[in-house]
Amino acid sequence: MMNKDFNSKLIFVALILMLLPACAGWVTDNGDEAVPNTQESSELRSSQVITYEKEKVFDEQRRFMVENDIKARGVSDTKVINAMLDVKRHLFVDINLRSAAYSDNPLPIDEGQTISQPYIVAFMTEALNILPDEKVLEIGTGSGYQAAVLAELTDKVYSVEIKSNLSAKARLNLDANSCSGVQTKCDDGYYGWEEYAPFDVIIVTCAANHIPPSLIKQLKDGGRLIIPLGNTLYYQTLTLIVKHGEELEVNHILDVVFVPMTGEIEMQQQK
Ligand code: SAH
């Protein structure tokens, strides 16, 4: 009998102890609002605080990058600078590379490809002098970052990526960064994008040893095309072409290193 009584008292005390933390969860620090204090909700709140703080750090790093790596090197077009300030590069790289997103470097994306150095993105964009409403074709969507920067300048951005995995990921990145208007497709950009041609501007973000003829064809009269041109194994010269009827005005502007264009152009090189 004694034993049974003792046992039931123990069970009663254990029950009270178990209920206590759950009851305490409805009392907040300032005591005027009751919120559930379950482990899940506190984890959720602390992760939101960290994300918010990290966002502030990223904003600060992005401002620093624009001042020191972009404006200090001579990029001065206000629209380009604002685009570089607005587009969150950390959302176009893998989570484990986010802390390096605002460094002065290209960064790896999947499949051995890279997202270009921010200065080069800004430099190429400025060189193209894009007007609102102009139609822009990008060859080499990669992460979608350059396309997002272009989308800050015009509503008509089209981008072609040859690797399906990258194309699909870039689509997600663009949608998550309010760039659903950017049109993307997975294809060999050597052939441009006939359906939407002609373009005012074409930007090629992979290296080629010649200008793909379709791209010249799909460029409007007076249109601008920028491409890293040269030996795709070493370095290339960023080349700005302006189309004047049958004539091409060619400007060699800066030595750069880009990943090579693949697909048809590679097949031709092997011949
Ligand atoms: N602009 C990108 C980076 C480009 S890296 C960004 O902002 O992230 C170069 C990209 O060109 C790679 O993703 C590569 O797969 C792609 N590419 C290479 N050859 C191509 C081709 N023939 N057509 C379209 N894309 C190509």
PDB file of all heavy atoms in Angstrom, residues 264-271:
ATOM      1  N   GLU A 264      29.173  24.284 -80.578  1.00  0.00           N
ATOM      2  CA  GLU A 264      29.561  24.355 -81.992  1.00  0.00           C
ATOM      3  C   GLU A 264      30.974  24.931 -82.188  1.00  0.00           C
ATOM      4  O   GLU A 264      31.770  24.393 -82.960  1.00  0.00           O
ATOM      5  CB  GLU A 264      28.516  25.194 -82.744  1.00  0.00           C
ATOM      6  CG  GLU A 264      28.883  25.585 -84.156  1.00  0.00           C
ATOM      7  CD  GLU A 264      29.085  24.378 -85.097  1.00  0.00           C
ATOM      8  OE1 GLU A 264      28.496  23.321 -84.816  1.00  0.00           O
ATOM      9  OE2 GLU A 264      29.845  24.513 -86.084  1.00  0.00           O
ATOM     10  N   ILE A 265      31.293  25.973 -81.457  1.00  0.00           N
ATOM     11  CA  ILE A 265      32.585  26.648 -81.650  1.00  0.00           C
ATOM     12  C   ILE A 265      33.745  25.701 -81.321  1.00  0.00           C
ATOM     13  O   ILE A 265      34.788  25.718 -81.970  1.00  0.00           O
ATOM     14  CB  ILE A 265      32.662  27.958 -80.825  1.00  0.00           C
ATOM     15  CG1 ILE A 265      33.653  28.940 -81.449  1.00  0.00           C
ATOM     16  CG2 ILE A 265      32.994  27.712 -79.368  1.00  0.00           C
ATOM     17  CD1 ILE A 265      33.555  30.370 -80.917  1.00  0.00           C
ATOM     18  N   GLU A 266      33.527  24.847 -80.328  1.00  0.00           N
ATOM     19  CA  GLU A 266      34.549  23.873 -79.916  1.00  0.00           C
ATOM     20  C   GLU A 266      34.751  22.827 -80.998  1.00  0.00           C
ATOM     21  O   GLU A 266      35.867  22.440 -81.313  1.00  0.00           O
ATOM     22  CB  GLU A 266      34.020  23.156 -78.673  1.00  0.00           C
ATOM     23  CG  GLU A 266      34.877  23.250 -77.459  1.00  0.00           C
ATOM     24  CD  GLU A 266      34.221  22.445 -76.353  1.00  0.00           C
ATOM     25  OE1 GLU A 266      33.089  21.899 -76.531  1.00  0.00           O
ATOM     26  OE2 GLU A 266      34.837  22.338 -75.304  1.00  0.00           O
ATOM     27  N   MET A 267      33.639  22.386 -81.576  1.00  0.00           N
ATOM     28  CA  MET A 267      33.693  21.392 -82.657  1.00  0.00           C
ATOM     29  C   MET A 267      34.518  21.941 -83.817  1.00  0.00           C
ATOM     30  O   MET A 267      35.325  21.250 -84.400  1.00  0.00           O
ATOM     31  CB  MET A 267      32.296  21.055 -83.186  1.00  0.00           C
ATOM     32  CG  MET A 267      31.288  20.745 -82.121  1.00  0.00           C
ATOM     33  SD  MET A 267      31.488  19.098 -81.464  1.00  0.00           S
ATOM     34  CE  MET A 267      30.393  18.248 -82.545  1.00  0.00           C
ATOM     35  N   GLN A 268      34.286  23.243 -84.116  1.00  0.00           N
ATOM     36  CA  GLN A 268      35.023  23.868 -85.224  1.00  0.00           C
ATOM     37  C   GLN A 268      36.517  23.920 -84.937  1.00  0.00           C
ATOM     38  O   GLN A 268      37.336  23.766 -85.828  1.00  0.00           O
ATOM     39  CB  GLN A 268      34.499  25.277 -85.475  1.00  0.00           C
ATOM     40  CG  GLN A 268      33.098  25.291 -86.015  1.00  0.00           C
ATOM     41  CD  GLN A 268      32.626  26.720 -86.298  1.00  0.00           C
ATOM     42  OE1 GLN A 268      33.410  27.668 -86.300  1.00  0.00           O
ATOM     43  NE2 GLN A 268      31.348  26.872 -86.519  1.00  0.00           N
ATOM     44  N   GLN A 269      36.856  24.168 -83.645  1.00  0.00           N
ATOM     45  CA  GLN A 269      38.262  24.258 -83.268  1.00  0.00           C
ATOM     46  C   GLN A 269      38.968  22.915 -83.422  1.00  0.00           C
ATOM     47  O   GLN A 269      40.153  22.844 -83.660  1.00  0.00           O
ATOM     48  CB  GLN A 269      38.404  24.753 -81.824  1.00  0.00           C
ATOM     49  CG  GLN A 269      38.424  26.263 -81.734  1.00  0.00           C
ATOM     50  CD  GLN A 269      38.121  26.770 -80.324  1.00  0.00           C
ATOM     51  OE1 GLN A 269      37.579  26.073 -79.492  1.00  0.00           O
ATOM     52  NE2 GLN A 269      38.485  27.988 -80.069  1.00  0.00           N
ATOM     53  N   GLN A 270      38.199  21.828 -83.230  1.00  0.00           N
ATOM     54  CA  GLN A 270      38.804  20.490 -83.309  1.00  0.00           C
ATOM     55  C   GLN A 270      39.048  20.035 -84.742  1.00  0.00           C
ATOM     56  O   GLN A 270      39.769  19.104 -84.982  1.00  0.00           O
ATOM     57  CB  GLN A 270      37.902  19.480 -82.587  1.00  0.00           C
ATOM     58  CG  GLN A 270      38.064  19.564 -81.065  1.00  0.00           C
ATOM     59  CD  GLN A 270      36.899  18.946 -80.329  1.00  0.00           C
ATOM     60  OE1 GLN A 270      36.087  18.232 -80.907  1.00  0.00           O
ATOM     61  NE2 GLN A 270      36.817  19.205 -79.037  1.00  0.00           N
ATOM     62  N   LYS A 271      38.383  20.728 -85.680  1.00  0.00           N
ATOM     63  CA  LYS A 271      38.505  20.301 -87.100  1.00  0.00           C
ATOM     64  C   LYS A 271      39.898  20.573 -87.658  1.00  0.00           C
ATOM     65  O   LYS A 271      40.537  21.542 -87.268  1.00  0.00           O
ATOM     66  CB  LYS A 271      37.455  21.035 -87.948  1.00  0.00           C
ATOM     67  CG  LYS A 271      36.124  20.310 -87.887  1.00  0.00           C
ATOM     68  CD  LYS A 271      35.097  21.030 -88.754  1.00  0.00           C
ATOM     69  CE  LYS A 271      33.687  20.592 -88.346  1.00  0.00           C
ATOM     70  NZ  LYS A 271      32.672  21.536 -88.784  1.00  0.00           N
TER      71      LYS A 271
END
